[in-house]
């Protein structure tokens, strides 16, 4: 019996349906236009990347990579994967020497292919993998030793032990490359910058992207497992504070353009490789003094990442955190000067901001300028945009020394906030509904629909004959502005009946009159 159970979308992912999708498109179009006016070009990035890219940039210890990334082993070599699967499922219920012999042969063949594949780069020659293969080789030798003995319970047990060993070791070999669904796109932009030698391009490289990202977070309003970002990045030789300020100016110009009001821009500098580690130690020491008054999460973070304690939303911790040493008092001279100039450049552009020394961001690559924008109507997940400077990230990924700064807007949250503000007004969905009756009317209707659509109008033409009343009812429900009626009388007179649905005013018109009337409206 075929399963008839309904298959639903995966938890935390959504469909975006019309007419909402039209509003999404309008917002994306606004981003394209605003960003282009600041000299940005679109980069289309892959949705899958090597896990290593995110581990190295976003940070192996961050929630985004460690807890939330979707990844899989891409079986570059089907044979090897199949071998691996077959060997790990191999039944040890063996009294049969022939079967043992076959198994031994498979394993040796597997080992041979494995070595070849590592040499050719078909499977990753990571340190872990090389060690796993070495260990596997050892157990194959042990296996060979156990093989000649065929019978007896004790021997069988010994054999079982060897097989278990082989199996465990084979499982620890990573046949395919680890591929992740991107949790964000800054890392990909940096990868692409290096891969395409963009450092040789004139001026700063200014790129934007629009697309889905994936994080296995606990779904709630404004937090999804597949969500959409509109982001932009500037990469180049300069870390001039004017770049930081213009980036924020562009961001706010975009929000103004789409009609999002009531925004708050939070700004901070989290220092550089010089001053931040020192501050982190000062902070850690201060946190240790108040450790007993903190919750379990914060206590753990004193060791792992003290800066993240500043993110805490736990009410009882707020008073304690407010009294902690602040990064602004521990910036080195260069960072202090840079931050002062960023603020002056924002002032020059008339951009208001709140200084927020607790804004540390959850990704490892940031340094100096960090910022976040919150929007109304979103509840707990009210950060609609986050960004900051990440000088040195390109270098960390194997590229030339490069400065970088960027942001990403959470498009889902942006749309929620626009909706809450009543700014999602749908465009009229339909201009004309053509009602035709009788075989002779259909070809006339088809031609008219072609003409009107060619003129850019939204037209609905029923695929089969409807009764007038039913057709007009549907036209109304679809929100059509006009109905054009084509029946026997119209065909005979060589005219159309044009009905304005808002007030039911009806006129008899020639095709030329019809076109000019519709274009006017
Ligand atoms: P992020 O702060 O991780 O930064 O994400 C940016 C924005 O994406 C957030 O402010 C939020 O609006 C949205 N967002 C994040 N996670 C979710 C989710 N699960 N559901 C819905 N929306 C979400 C970055 O991703 C950096 N790459 C930004 C950046 C670009 N920094 C420099 N350049």
């Amino acid at each position: 019996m075929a399963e008839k159970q309904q298959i639903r979308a995966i938890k935390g992912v959504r469909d975006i349906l019309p007419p909402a999708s039209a509003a999404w498109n309008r917002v994306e179009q606004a981003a394209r236009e605003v960003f282009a006016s600041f000299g940005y070009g679109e980069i289309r990035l892959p949705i899958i990347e090597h896990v290593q890219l995110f581990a190295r940039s976003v940070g192996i210890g961050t929630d985004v990579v460690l807890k939330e990334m979707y990844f899989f082993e891409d079986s570059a070599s089907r044979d090897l994967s199949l071998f691996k699967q077959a060997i790990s499922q191999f039944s040890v219920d063996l009294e049969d020497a022939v079967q043992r012999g076959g198994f031994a042969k498979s394993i040796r063949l597997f080992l041979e292919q494995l070595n070849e594949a590592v040499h050719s780069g078909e499977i990753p020659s990571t340190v872990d993998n090389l060690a796993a293969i070495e260990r596997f080789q050892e157990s194959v030798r042990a296996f060979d030793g156990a093989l000649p003995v065929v019978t007896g319970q004790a021997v069988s047990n010994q054999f079982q032990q060897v097989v278990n060993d082989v199996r465990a070791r084979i499982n620890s070999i990573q046949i395919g490359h680890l591929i992740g669904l991107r949790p964000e796109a800054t890392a990909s932009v940096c990868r692409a910058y290096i891969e395409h030698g963009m450092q040789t391009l004139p001026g700063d490289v200014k790129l934007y992207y629009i697309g889905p990202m994936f994080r296995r977070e606990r779904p709630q309003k404004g937090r999804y497992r597949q969500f959409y970002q509109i982001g932009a990045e500037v990469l180049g030789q300069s870390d001039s504070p004017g770049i930081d300020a213009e980036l924020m100016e562009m961001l706010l110009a975009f929000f103004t353009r789409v009609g999002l009001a009531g925004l708050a821009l939070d700004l901070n500098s989290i220092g550089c490789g010089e001053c931040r580690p020192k501050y982190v130690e000062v902070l850690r020491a201060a946190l240790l003094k108040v450790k007993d008054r903190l919750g379990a999460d914060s206590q753990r973070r004193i060791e792992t990442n003290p800066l993240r304690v500043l993110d805490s939303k736990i009410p009882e911790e707020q008073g304690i955190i407010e009294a902690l040493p602040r990064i602004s008092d521990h910036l080195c001279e260069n960072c202090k000067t840079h931050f002062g100039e960023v603020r002056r450049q924002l002032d020059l552009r008339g951009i208001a901001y709140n200084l927020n020394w607790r804004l540390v961001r959850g990704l490892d690559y940031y340094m100096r300028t960090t910022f976040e924008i919150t929007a109304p109507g979103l509840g707990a997940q009210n950060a609609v945009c986050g960004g900051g400077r990440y000088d040195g990230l390109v270098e960390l990924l194997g590229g030339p020394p490069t400065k970088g700064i960027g942001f990403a807007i959470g498009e889902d949250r942006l749309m929620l906030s626009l909706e809450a503000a009543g700014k999602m007004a749908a465009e009229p969905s339909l201009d004309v509904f053509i009602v035709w009756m009788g075989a002779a009317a259909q070809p006339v209707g088809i031609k008219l629909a072609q003409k009107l659509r060619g003129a850019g109008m939204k037209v609905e033409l029923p695929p089969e004959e409807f009764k007038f009343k039913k057709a007009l009812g549907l036209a109304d429900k679809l929100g059509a502005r006009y109905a054009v009626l084509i029946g026997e009388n119209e065909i005979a007179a060589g005219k159309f009946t044009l009905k304005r649905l808002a007030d039911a005013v009806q006129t008899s018109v020639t095709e030329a009159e019809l076109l000019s009337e519709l274009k006017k409206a």
Side-chain angles (χ1 to χ4, degrees), residues 185-227:
T186 307
S188 302
V189 171
C190 292
R191 187 218 17 89
Y193 179 86
I194 299 166
E195 207 164 321
H196 302 286
M198 288 193 233
Q199 72 274 11
T200 59
L201 296 173
D204 290 326
V205 174
K206 301 196 253 182
L207 300 166
Y208 75 87
Y209 50 85
I210 300 174
M213 310 291 156
F214 304 84
R215 296 184 194 175
R216 201 177 188 291
E217 294 192 81
R218 197 167 44 77
Q220 64 182 81
K221 181 183 170 193
R223 191 159 73 191
Y224 310 101
R225 290 180 170 178
Q226 174 173 340
F227 60 98

Short mmCIF file of all heavy atoms in Angstrom, two decimals, residues 185-227:
data_model
loop_
_atom_site.label_atom_id
_atom_site.label_comp_id
_atom_site.label_asym_id
_atom_site.label_seq_id
_atom_site.Cartn_x
_atom_site.Cartn_y
_atom_site.Cartn_z
N ALA A 185 27.25 34.68 4.26
CA ALA A 185 27.90 34.78 2.95
C ALA A 185 29.20 35.58 2.94
O ALA A 185 29.88 35.62 1.91
CB ALA A 185 26.92 35.36 1.94
N THR A 186 29.55 36.21 4.06
CA THR A 186 30.79 36.99 4.06
C THR A 186 32.00 36.11 3.74
O THR A 186 32.88 36.50 2.96
CB THR A 186 30.98 37.66 5.44
OG1 THR A 186 29.78 38.37 5.74
CG2 THR A 186 32.16 38.61 5.44
N ALA A 187 32.01 34.91 4.31
CA ALA A 187 33.13 33.99 4.07
C ALA A 187 33.21 33.65 2.58
O ALA A 187 34.31 33.62 2.01
CB ALA A 187 32.93 32.72 4.89
N SER A 188 32.06 33.43 1.95
CA SER A 188 32.07 33.09 0.52
C SER A 188 32.56 34.26 -0.32
O SER A 188 33.27 34.07 -1.30
CB SER A 188 30.66 32.71 0.05
OG SER A 188 30.16 31.64 0.78
N VAL A 189 32.16 35.47 0.07
CA VAL A 189 32.61 36.65 -0.69
C VAL A 189 34.15 36.73 -0.62
O VAL A 189 34.81 36.96 -1.63
CB VAL A 189 31.97 37.94 -0.15
CG1 VAL A 189 32.61 39.18 -0.79
CG2 VAL A 189 30.47 37.95 -0.43
N CYS A 190 34.71 36.50 0.56
CA CYS A 190 36.17 36.55 0.71
C CYS A 190 36.83 35.43 -0.10
O CYS A 190 37.84 35.65 -0.75
CB CYS A 190 36.56 36.44 2.18
SG CYS A 190 36.07 37.88 3.12
N ARG A 191 36.22 34.26 -0.05
CA ARG A 191 36.76 33.14 -0.85
C ARG A 191 36.78 33.50 -2.33
O ARG A 191 37.77 33.31 -3.04
CB ARG A 191 35.94 31.87 -0.61
CG ARG A 191 36.53 30.67 -1.26
CD ARG A 191 35.59 29.64 -1.89
NE ARG A 191 34.24 29.98 -2.17
CZ ARG A 191 33.81 30.52 -3.32
NH1 ARG A 191 34.65 30.84 -4.28
NH2 ARG A 191 32.54 30.78 -3.49
N ALA A 192 35.66 34.06 -2.79
CA ALA A 192 35.55 34.43 -4.21
C ALA A 192 36.55 35.54 -4.56
O ALA A 192 37.16 35.53 -5.64
CB ALA A 192 34.13 34.87 -4.53
N TYR A 193 36.72 36.48 -3.65
CA TYR A 193 37.65 37.60 -3.86
C TYR A 193 39.06 37.05 -4.12
O TYR A 193 39.75 37.47 -5.04
CB TYR A 193 37.65 38.48 -2.60
CG TYR A 193 38.57 39.68 -2.63
CD1 TYR A 193 38.15 40.89 -3.18
CD2 TYR A 193 39.85 39.60 -2.07
CE1 TYR A 193 39.00 41.99 -3.18
CE2 TYR A 193 40.69 40.70 -2.07
CZ TYR A 193 40.26 41.90 -2.62
OH TYR A 193 41.09 42.99 -2.62
N ILE A 194 39.44 36.05 -3.33
CA ILE A 194 40.77 35.45 -3.48
C ILE A 194 40.82 34.63 -4.77
O ILE A 194 41.73 34.76 -5.59
CB ILE A 194 41.08 34.53 -2.28
CG1 ILE A 194 41.07 35.32 -0.98
CG2 ILE A 194 42.43 33.83 -2.48
CD1 ILE A 194 41.03 34.46 0.28
N GLU A 195 39.80 33.81 -4.95
CA GLU A 195 39.80 32.87 -6.08
C GLU A 195 39.86 33.59 -7.42
O GLU A 195 40.44 33.08 -8.37
CB GLU A 195 38.53 32.02 -5.99
CG GLU A 195 38.68 30.67 -6.63
CD GLU A 195 37.57 29.72 -6.19
OE1 GLU A 195 37.16 29.73 -5.01
OE2 GLU A 195 37.11 28.95 -7.06
N HIS A 196 39.25 34.78 -7.50
CA HIS A 196 39.22 35.51 -8.78
C HIS A 196 40.22 36.65 -8.82
O HIS A 196 40.11 37.52 -9.69
CB HIS A 196 37.79 36.00 -9.04
CG HIS A 196 36.79 34.88 -9.07
ND1 HIS A 196 36.70 33.99 -10.12
CD2 HIS A 196 35.90 34.46 -8.15
CE1 HIS A 196 35.77 33.09 -9.84
NE2 HIS A 196 35.27 33.36 -8.64
N GLY A 197 41.15 36.64 -7.88
CA GLY A 197 42.21 37.66 -7.89
C GLY A 197 41.66 39.08 -7.93
O GLY A 197 42.20 39.95 -8.62
N MET A 198 40.59 39.33 -7.19
CA MET A 198 39.93 40.64 -7.29
C MET A 198 40.76 41.78 -6.71
O MET A 198 40.42 42.94 -6.88
CB MET A 198 38.56 40.60 -6.60
CG MET A 198 37.53 39.80 -7.38
SD MET A 198 35.86 40.08 -6.73
CE MET A 198 35.32 38.42 -6.46
N GLN A 199 41.87 41.43 -6.01
CA GLN A 199 42.70 42.50 -5.46
C GLN A 199 43.34 43.32 -6.58
O GLN A 199 43.80 44.44 -6.34
CB GLN A 199 43.76 41.95 -4.49
CG GLN A 199 44.90 41.19 -5.12
CD GLN A 199 44.55 39.72 -5.35
OE1 GLN A 199 43.40 39.31 -5.22
NE2 GLN A 199 45.55 38.92 -5.68
N THR A 200 43.35 42.79 -7.81
CA THR A 200 43.96 43.55 -8.90
C THR A 200 42.96 44.52 -9.53
O THR A 200 43.31 45.30 -10.40
CB THR A 200 44.48 42.60 -10.00
OG1 THR A 200 43.35 41.85 -10.48
CG2 THR A 200 45.54 41.65 -9.48
N LEU A 201 41.70 44.45 -9.11
CA LEU A 201 40.70 45.37 -9.68
C LEU A 201 40.95 46.78 -9.17
O LEU A 201 41.45 46.96 -8.06
CB LEU A 201 39.29 44.91 -9.29
CG LEU A 201 38.86 43.55 -9.84
CD1 LEU A 201 37.51 43.14 -9.25
CD2 LEU A 201 38.78 43.60 -11.37
N PRO A 202 40.59 47.79 -9.97
CA PRO A 202 40.83 49.17 -9.53
C PRO A 202 39.88 49.56 -8.38
O PRO A 202 38.72 49.14 -8.38
CB PRO A 202 40.52 50.00 -10.78
CG PRO A 202 39.63 49.14 -11.61
CD PRO A 202 39.99 47.72 -11.31
N GLY A 203 40.38 50.31 -7.43
CA GLY A 203 39.54 50.83 -6.34
C GLY A 203 39.07 49.72 -5.40
O GLY A 203 39.53 48.58 -5.47
N ASP A 204 38.17 50.09 -4.52
CA ASP A 204 37.63 49.09 -3.59
C ASP A 204 36.66 48.18 -4.34
O ASP A 204 35.95 48.61 -5.25
CB ASP A 204 36.88 49.78 -2.45
CG ASP A 204 37.84 50.51 -1.53
OD1 ASP A 204 38.96 50.01 -1.34
OD2 ASP A 204 37.47 51.59 -1.02
N VAL A 205 36.63 46.92 -3.93
CA VAL A 205 35.69 45.97 -4.55
C VAL A 205 34.41 46.00 -3.71
O VAL A 205 34.43 45.70 -2.52
CB VAL A 205 36.31 44.56 -4.57
CG1 VAL A 205 35.30 43.53 -5.06
CG2 VAL A 205 37.56 44.56 -5.45
N LYS A 206 33.31 46.41 -4.35
CA LYS A 206 32.05 46.57 -3.62
C LYS A 206 31.02 45.60 -4.19
O LYS A 206 30.66 45.68 -5.36
CB LYS A 206 31.54 48.01 -3.76
CG LYS A 206 32.55 49.03 -3.23
CD LYS A 206 31.90 50.38 -3.02
CE LYS A 206 32.33 51.38 -4.08
NZ LYS A 206 31.74 52.71 -3.86
N LEU A 207 30.60 44.68 -3.35
CA LEU A 207 29.72 43.60 -3.83
C LEU A 207 28.49 43.46 -2.95
O LEU A 207 28.55 43.72 -1.75
CB LEU A 207 30.50 42.27 -3.78
CG LEU A 207 31.77 42.21 -4.65
CD1 LEU A 207 32.61 41.01 -4.27
CD2 LEU A 207 31.40 42.17 -6.13
N TYR A 208 27.38 43.06 -3.58
CA TYR A 208 26.20 42.73 -2.76
C TYR A 208 25.64 41.39 -3.18
O TYR A 208 25.92 40.90 -4.28
CB TYR A 208 25.14 43.84 -2.83
CG TYR A 208 24.34 43.88 -4.11
CD1 TYR A 208 23.20 43.11 -4.28
CD2 TYR A 208 24.72 44.72 -5.16
CE1 TYR A 208 22.47 43.17 -5.46
CE2 TYR A 208 24.00 44.78 -6.35
CZ TYR A 208 22.88 44.00 -6.50
OH TYR A 208 22.15 44.03 -7.66
N TYR A 209 24.88 40.77 -2.29
CA TYR A 209 24.28 39.46 -2.57
C TYR A 209 22.91 39.38 -1.93
O TYR A 209 22.62 40.07 -0.94
CB TYR A 209 25.17 38.32 -2.04
CG TYR A 209 25.60 38.52 -0.60
CD1 TYR A 209 24.79 38.12 0.47
CD2 TYR A 209 26.80 39.17 -0.30
CE1 TYR A 209 25.17 38.34 1.78
CE2 TYR A 209 27.18 39.40 1.01
CZ TYR A 209 26.37 38.98 2.04
OH TYR A 209 26.74 39.22 3.35
N ILE A 210 22.07 38.56 -2.51
CA ILE A 210 20.72 38.34 -1.98
C ILE A 210 20.47 36.84 -2.05
O ILE A 210 20.66 36.26 -3.12
CB ILE A 210 19.66 39.07 -2.84
CG1 ILE A 210 19.94 40.57 -2.86
CG2 ILE A 210 18.25 38.77 -2.34
CD1 ILE A 210 19.03 41.37 -3.78
N GLY A 211 20.07 36.23 -0.96
CA GLY A 211 19.80 34.80 -1.07
C GLY A 211 19.60 34.12 0.26
O GLY A 211 19.74 34.72 1.32
N PRO A 212 19.29 32.82 0.19
CA PRO A 212 18.99 32.06 1.41
C PRO A 212 20.25 31.63 2.17
O PRO A 212 21.28 31.35 1.57
CB PRO A 212 18.27 30.82 0.88
CG PRO A 212 18.81 30.63 -0.49
CD PRO A 212 19.12 32.00 -1.02
N MET A 213 20.14 31.61 3.49
CA MET A 213 21.19 31.11 4.38
C MET A 213 20.53 30.05 5.27
O MET A 213 19.29 30.03 5.39
CB MET A 213 21.74 32.22 5.29
CG MET A 213 22.14 33.48 4.56
SD MET A 213 23.60 33.25 3.55
CE MET A 213 23.37 34.56 2.35
N PHE A 214 21.34 29.22 5.91
CA PHE A 214 20.79 28.09 6.67
C PHE A 214 21.46 27.98 8.03
O PHE A 214 22.68 27.94 8.12
CB PHE A 214 21.02 26.79 5.88
CG PHE A 214 20.45 26.85 4.49
CD1 PHE A 214 21.17 27.43 3.44
CD2 PHE A 214 19.18 26.37 4.22
CE1 PHE A 214 20.64 27.52 2.16
CE2 PHE A 214 18.64 26.45 2.95
CZ PHE A 214 19.37 27.02 1.91
N ARG A 215 20.63 27.99 9.06
CA ARG A 215 21.17 27.75 10.41
C ARG A 215 20.16 26.92 11.17
O ARG A 215 18.97 27.24 11.15
CB ARG A 215 21.39 29.09 11.16
CG ARG A 215 22.43 29.97 10.52
CD ARG A 215 22.69 31.23 11.32
NE ARG A 215 23.45 32.19 10.51
CZ ARG A 215 23.75 33.42 10.87
NH1 ARG A 215 23.37 33.88 12.05
NH2 ARG A 215 24.43 34.21 10.06
N ARG A 216 20.66 25.90 11.85
CA ARG A 216 19.73 25.03 12.56
C ARG A 216 19.46 25.60 13.94
O ARG A 216 19.89 25.08 14.95
CB ARG A 216 20.32 23.61 12.65
CG ARG A 216 19.28 22.59 12.91
CD ARG A 216 19.82 21.18 12.93
NE ARG A 216 18.74 20.23 13.00
CZ ARG A 216 17.97 20.05 14.06
NH1 ARG A 216 18.17 20.77 15.15
NH2 ARG A 216 16.98 19.18 14.03
N GLU A 217 18.72 26.72 13.94
CA GLU A 217 18.37 27.37 15.21
C GLU A 217 16.98 26.91 15.62
O GLU A 217 16.25 26.32 14.83
CB GLU A 217 18.36 28.88 15.02
CG GLU A 217 19.73 29.45 14.73
CD GLU A 217 19.74 30.96 14.84
OE1 GLU A 217 19.84 31.45 15.97
OE2 GLU A 217 19.64 31.64 13.81
N ARG A 218 16.61 27.25 16.85
CA ARG A 218 15.25 26.91 17.31
C ARG A 218 14.29 27.89 16.65
O ARG A 218 14.40 29.09 16.85
CB ARG A 218 15.18 27.02 18.83
CG ARG A 218 13.98 26.32 19.44
CD ARG A 218 14.13 26.19 20.95
NE ARG A 218 14.62 27.43 21.57
CZ ARG A 218 13.89 28.51 21.79
NH1 ARG A 218 12.61 28.51 21.49
NH2 ARG A 218 14.41 29.58 22.34
N PRO A 219 13.37 27.39 15.81
CA PRO A 219 12.52 28.32 15.07
C PRO A 219 11.58 29.09 15.98
O PRO A 219 11.09 28.56 16.97
CB PRO A 219 11.70 27.40 14.15
CG PRO A 219 12.39 26.09 14.15
CD PRO A 219 13.09 25.99 15.47
N GLN A 220 11.38 30.35 15.68
CA GLN A 220 10.38 31.18 16.34
C GLN A 220 10.12 32.35 15.43
O GLN A 220 10.69 32.44 14.34
CB GLN A 220 10.87 31.64 17.72
CG GLN A 220 12.09 32.55 17.67
CD GLN A 220 12.56 32.94 19.07
OE1 GLN A 220 13.26 32.18 19.71
NE2 GLN A 220 12.18 34.11 19.53
N LYS A 221 9.24 33.27 15.86
CA LYS A 221 8.94 34.41 14.99
C LYS A 221 10.23 35.15 14.65
O LYS A 221 10.98 35.55 15.54
CB LYS A 221 7.97 35.35 15.71
CG LYS A 221 7.60 36.54 14.85
CD LYS A 221 6.69 37.51 15.61
CE LYS A 221 6.54 38.79 14.83
NZ LYS A 221 5.95 39.86 15.60
N GLY A 222 10.49 35.32 13.36
CA GLY A 222 11.69 36.04 12.94
C GLY A 222 12.96 35.21 13.00
O GLY A 222 14.05 35.73 12.74
N ARG A 223 12.83 33.93 13.35
CA ARG A 223 14.02 33.07 13.33
C ARG A 223 13.68 31.77 12.62
O ARG A 223 12.81 31.03 13.06
CB ARG A 223 14.51 32.80 14.75
CG ARG A 223 15.88 32.14 14.75
CD ARG A 223 16.58 32.32 16.05
NE ARG A 223 15.97 31.48 17.05
CZ ARG A 223 16.23 31.56 18.36
NH1 ARG A 223 17.06 32.46 18.81
NH2 ARG A 223 15.64 30.75 19.19
N TYR A 224 14.36 31.54 11.51
CA TYR A 224 14.05 30.38 10.67
C TYR A 224 15.32 29.60 10.40
O TYR A 224 16.42 30.08 10.61
CB TYR A 224 13.41 30.85 9.36
CG TYR A 224 12.28 31.81 9.60
CD1 TYR A 224 12.46 33.18 9.45
CD2 TYR A 224 11.06 31.35 10.08
CE1 TYR A 224 11.44 34.07 9.74
CE2 TYR A 224 10.03 32.23 10.37
CZ TYR A 224 10.22 33.59 10.20
OH TYR A 224 9.21 34.46 10.50
N ARG A 225 15.14 28.39 9.89
CA ARG A 225 16.31 27.57 9.56
C ARG A 225 16.78 27.85 8.14
O ARG A 225 17.95 27.69 7.84
CB ARG A 225 15.98 26.11 9.81
CG ARG A 225 15.84 25.86 11.30
CD ARG A 225 15.52 24.44 11.65
NE ARG A 225 15.64 24.27 13.09
CZ ARG A 225 15.38 23.15 13.73
NH1 ARG A 225 14.98 22.10 13.05
NH2 ARG A 225 15.52 23.08 15.03
N GLN A 226 15.85 28.20 7.28
CA GLN A 226 16.25 28.81 6.00
C GLN A 226 15.73 30.23 6.05
O GLN A 226 14.52 30.45 6.17
CB GLN A 226 15.64 28.07 4.80
CG GLN A 226 15.95 28.80 3.50
CD GLN A 226 15.53 28.05 2.24
OE1 GLN A 226 15.34 26.85 2.25
NE2 GLN A 226 15.40 28.79 1.15
N PHE A 227 16.64 31.18 6.00
CA PHE A 227 16.22 32.58 6.02
C PHE A 227 16.98 33.29 4.91
O PHE A 227 17.89 32.72 4.30
CB PHE A 227 16.49 33.21 7.39
CG PHE A 227 17.95 33.18 7.81
CD1 PHE A 227 18.76 34.29 7.64
CD2 PHE A 227 18.50 32.03 8.34
CE1 PHE A 227 20.11 34.26 8.01
CE2 PHE A 227 19.85 31.98 8.72
CZ PHE A 227 20.65 33.10 8.54
#
